[in-house]
């Protein structure tokens, strides 16, 4: 039985990794659209209609590279692959980012309030002009599907604005429109839930390193007396798209609120909890723990709970990495983690591990007794959130991995040898320095994976396993 120990932090562990930018290739989007067309055919549909808005952009972006920056958008794909995108005033020019042939249609009511509507047609008439008529079978995808019906059967429950659903009902017939979201983000075979190309892995690695570098810089710069906003300014962050709010939180109140953004008024005190997280599209990196420079800065209640809380937590992290591999079930991952943080005092309520994409949480195969198997191409977050109320202590050590079988690893090695070499070095570090029995098909996306310090303001020691 392995035990958690503290080792001297290797030199340079908080230094930024230097990697070259990677862009998702046009061919990746074309392949994804081809997969969508094939799924439409397999489900005996005539059209798939995908809804997106500023927050819920990921389904449309996945197939087009277009995200919904100000306006709602509909992407419509016919069973033969012909594609339309419906946009408002400000989406039209931006829609030319789509890397394949698509017909652009203007729908004025997608524009912001007060903007010109330019005499656009009604939505139901536009549907009819596209070819959506009575008797057509339509698959409609919103942001999420529902495991249990809300008011109607699951197939007829839509997370899409009512006027869009109503327009489709008017054009095709109420019984002809069914939910298609599960085909995109359902497990195990939703189209968005598998990485299929080495270019995608190289892109994820670049985004993951970028996120980890920002967290490293903030943690390295954090000092008692700094406000949350002052810490955030140390990130060196650029203005690239993110997928969720950054959390730079100092003190019990901020940390207990969880999702709060940094402000100018919350100041880090030596011995108080803190959280630092940053996301890019494709990855999130987060650390939460005690912003302390040592035991003497903790309160008496914190001292009593500190070792048991954080050592058990990191044991769960290490065990998560050791359990994840192609063919493992979500239930096995859940059971492994809960051996260490299953008691009520750890407050683990969310799934210990989830899928990620351009949005922060697309689904999760990990739950109690889940028989869903992890497959090659899974884009996965090690994300276990533990929290204690009395005293206030939190623990997060969140990073990104991709599960890749031998064929996908060989493709990565051939096309992106530098990326592959970095991943091999990370695997070696996790096995030899951290003591984690990492499977060869688990690809750590940054050199910061599983690195956790007992004291966030004194990073001379870090957790590891000793056999």
């Amino acid at each position: 039985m392995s035990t958690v120990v503290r080792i001297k932090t290797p030199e340079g562990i908080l230094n930024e990794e230097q990697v070259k930018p990677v862009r998702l290739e046009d061919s990746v989007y074309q392949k994804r659209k081809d997969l969508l067309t094939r799924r439409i055919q397999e489900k005996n549909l005539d059209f798939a209609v995908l809804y997106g808005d500023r927050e819920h952009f990921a389904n449309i972006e996945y197939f087009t590279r277009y995200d919904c920056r100000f306006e709602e958008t509909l992407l419509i794909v016919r069973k033969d692959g012909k594609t339309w995108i419906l946009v408002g005033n400000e989406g039209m020019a931006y829609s030319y980012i789509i890397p394949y042939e698509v017909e652009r249609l203007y729908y004025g009511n997608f524009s912001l309030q007060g903007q010109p509507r330019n005499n656009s047609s009604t939505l139901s008439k536009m549907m009819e002009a596209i070819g959506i008529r009575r008797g057509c079978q339509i698959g409609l995808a919103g942001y999420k599907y529902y495991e249990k019906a809300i008011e109607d059967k699951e197939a007829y429950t839509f997370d899409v604005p009512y006027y869009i659903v109503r327009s489709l009902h008017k054009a095709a017939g109420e019984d002809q429109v069914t939910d298609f979201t599960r085909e995109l983000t359902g497990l195990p075979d939703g189209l968005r839930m598998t990485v299929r190309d080495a270019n995608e892995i190289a892109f994820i690695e670049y985004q993951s390193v970028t996120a980890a570098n920002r967290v490293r810089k903030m943690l390295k710069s954090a000092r008692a007396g700094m406000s949350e906003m002052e810490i955030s300014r140390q990130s060196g962050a650029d203005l690239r798209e993110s997928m969720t709010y950054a959390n730079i939180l100092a003190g019990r109140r901020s940390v207990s609120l969880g999702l709060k953004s940094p402000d100018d008024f919350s100041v880090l005190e030596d011995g108080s909890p803190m959280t630092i997280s940053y996301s890019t599209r494709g990855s999130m990196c987060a650390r939460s723990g005690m912003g302390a420079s040592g035991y003497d800065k903790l309160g008496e209640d914190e001292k009593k709970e500190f070792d048991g809380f954080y050592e058990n937590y990191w044991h769960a992290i290490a065990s998560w990495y050791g359990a994840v591999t192609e063919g493992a079930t979500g239930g096995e991952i859940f059971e492994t983690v809960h051996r260490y943080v299953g008691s009520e005092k750890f407050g683990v309520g969310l799934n210990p591990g989830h899928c990620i994409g351009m949005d922060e949480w697309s689904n999760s195969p990990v739950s109690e007794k889940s028989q869903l198997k992890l497959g090659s191409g899974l884009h996965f977050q090690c994300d276990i959130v533990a929290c204690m109320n009395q005293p206030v202590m939190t623990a997060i050590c969140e990073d990104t991995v991709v599960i890749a079988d031998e064929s996908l690893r060989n493709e990565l090695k051939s096309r992106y040898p530098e990326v592959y070499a970095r991943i091999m070095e990370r695997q070696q570090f996790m096995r030899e320095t951290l003591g984690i029995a990492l499977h060869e098909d688990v690809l750590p996306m940054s050199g910061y994976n599983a690195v956790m310090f007992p004291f966030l303001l004194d990073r001379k020691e870090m957790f590891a396993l000793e056999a």
Side-chain angles (χ1 to χ4, degrees):
M1 182 71 174
S2 57
T3 57
V4 175
V5 296
R6 302 181 189 193
I7 62 172
K8 182 179 178 181
T9 299
E11 186 176 352
I13 199 70
L14 286 178
N15 292 348
E16 293 184 72
E17 293 179 87
Q18 302 301 315
V19 298
K20 296 178 181 178
V22 176
R23 179 182 175 88
L24 281 175
E25 297 169 349
D26 291 356
S27 60
V28 167
Y29 288 97
Q30 181 64 59
K31 290 175 185 176
R32 291 172 176 179
K33 206 263 282 188
D34 291 345
L35 287 168
L36 175 58
T37 302
R38 195 175 310 144
R39 185 64 62 90
I40 293 168
Q41 296 166 355
E42 291 170 355
K43 295 299 175 180
N44 296 314
L45 299 173
D46 295 295
F47 293 87
V49 179
L50 279 57
Y51 167 80
D53 57 32
R54 183 180 177 188
E55 181 178 4
H56 308 124
F57 66 90
N59 284 339
I60 289 179
E61 193 284 334
Y62 182 83
F63 296 104
T64 65
R65 194 183 276 141
Y66 174 97
D67 60 350
C68 315
R69 302 227 155 176
F70 290 100
E71 310 164 335
E72 301 89 346
T73 303
L74 289 179
L75 180 72
I76 301 176
V77 181
R78 195 168 64 193
K79 63 183 178 182
D80 63 357
K82 177 153 176 73
T83 303
W84 295 261
I85 189 165
L86 277 63
V87 296
N89 292 326
E90 299 188 77
M92 186 61 73
Y94 182 52
S95 70
Y96 283 87
I97 199 171
I98 299 173
Y100 51 77
E101 184 177 350
V102 59
E103 186 170 337
R104 295 163 178 84
L105 299 177
Y106 170 74
Y107 179 58
N109 284 329
F110 281 164
S111 302
L112 300 178
Q113 291 183 165
Q115 289 187 359
R117 293 301 189 253
N118 297 319
N119 299 315
S120 68
S121 177
T122 66
L123 194 54
S124 58
K125 287 183 179 179
M126 294 180 74
M127 300 295 183
E128 291 173 358
I130 287 170
I132 298 176
R133 297 184 174 89
R134 288 280 166 177
C136 284
Q137 299 290 326
I138 311 299
L140 175 60
Y143 171 54
K144 59 187 176 186
Y145 61 90
Y146 293 87
E147 298 288 354
K148 296 181 180 179
I150 307 303
E151 295 290 344
D152 207 337
K153 294 179 180 179
E154 290 88 345
Y156 299 99
T157 302
F158 307 103
D159 188 28
V160 174
Y162 173 74
Y163 75 95
I164 294 176
V165 178
R166 181 72 181 120
S167 297
L168 284 168
H169 284 169
K170 188 174 181 180
E174 189 166 337
D175 291 339
Q176 306 304 107
V177 184
T178 55
D179 183 65
F180 190 70
T181 315
R182 188 183 297 269
E183 302 304 322
L184 307 183
T185 54
L187 291 168
D189 62 348
L191 295 176
R192 283 185 50 209
M193 307 313 291
T194 301
V195 173
R196 301 174 178 87
D197 191 287
N199 173 244
E200 294 176 281
I201 298 178
F203 170 81
I204 293 166
E205 195 243 10
Y206 170 64
Q207 296 292 90
S208 300
V209 167
T210 299
N213 281 347
R214 303 290 78 80
V215 171
R216 284 165 158 153
K217 284 178 70 71
M218 285 186 278
L219 187 56
K220 194 174 183 179
S221 303
R223 300 287 186 275
M226 295 176 71
S227 72
E228 293 171 347
M229 200 61 75
E230 287 173 327
I231 295 171
S232 74
R233 293 191 189 105
Q234 305 304 311
S235 68
D238 50 34
L239 300 181
R240 77 182 66 229
E241 305 100 324
S242 61
M243 58 186 171
T244 188
Y245 295 103
N247 300 125
I248 294 84
L249 309 176
R252 292 168 181 80
R253 183 178 184 278
S254 284
V255 169
S256 64
L257 290 173
L259 297 180
K260 187 180 81 65
S261 296
D263 62 45
D264 290 298
F265 311 104
S266 301
V267 175
L268 180 62
E269 297 179 3
D270 197 339
S272 63
M274 67 180 293
T275 296
I276 294 178
S277 74
Y278 187 86
S279 76
T280 57
R281 289 191 177 174
S283 181
M284 182 154 180
C285 181
R287 294 296 184 274
S288 189
M290 294 305 292
S293 56
Y295 278 110
D296 60 325
K297 299 298 182 179
L298 300 177
E300 292 305 313
D301 290 339
E302 285 89 350
K303 289 177 182 177
K304 292 176 184 177
E305 298 286 353
F306 184 85
D307 288 341
F309 185 80
Y310 285 104
E311 289 179 9
N312 271 282
Y313 174 80
W314 193 82
H315 211 156
I317 292 290
S319 298
W320 187 96
Y321 278 102
V324 167
T325 188
E326 185 179 10
T329 68
E332 291 168 346
I333 306 299
F334 183 95
E335 181 181 355
T336 296
V337 167
H338 277 252
R339 289 174 193 162
Y340 303 99
V341 292
S343 67
E344 186 176 344
K345 78 172 186 176
F346 289 98
V348 176
L350 298 179
N351 315 57
H354 61 85
C355 305
I356 191 172
M358 294 300 208
D359 45 358
E360 194 269 337
W361 182 306
S362 52
N363 211 327
S364 178
V366 183
S367 61
E368 189 174 12
K369 299 180 182 179
S370 169
Q371 294 303 306
L372 289 168
K373 291 186 177 181
L374 311 187
S376 178
L378 191 68
H379 185 184
F380 210 30
Q381 287 292 110
C382 179
D383 183 10
I384 304 168
V385 181
C387 53
M388 179 182 288
N389 294 323
Q390 294 295 333
V392 176
M393 294 197 298
T394 62
I396 302 174
C397 184
E398 179 177 1
D399 299 287
T400 306
V401 301
V402 171
I403 299 177
D405 62 16
E406 185 176 7
S407 175
L408 194 52
R409 297 197 303 273
N410 286 339
E411 182 191 352
L412 181 67
K413 183 178 182 180
S414 174
R415 293 177 58 189
Y416 297 93
E418 292 181 358
V419 174
Y420 182 83
R422 285 194 294 268
I423 290 171
M424 294 300 104
E425 289 178 3
R426 294 169 192 153
Q427 286 185 337
Q428 183 179 10
F429 169 78
M430 293 179 73
R431 291 172 185 139
E432 296 182 3
T433 302
L434 300 183
I436 297 173
L438 196 72
H439 291 269
E440 62 181 354
D441 59 358
V442 179
L443 310 186
M445 290 290 104
S446 89
Y448 200 40
N449 277 64
V451 171
M452 188 170 180
F453 308 103
F455 298 107
L456 296 182
L457 297 186
D458 180 12
R459 297 163 294 274
K460 297 175 183 175
E461 294 183 326
M462 54 191 286
F463 291 122
L465 287 182
E466 180 180 70

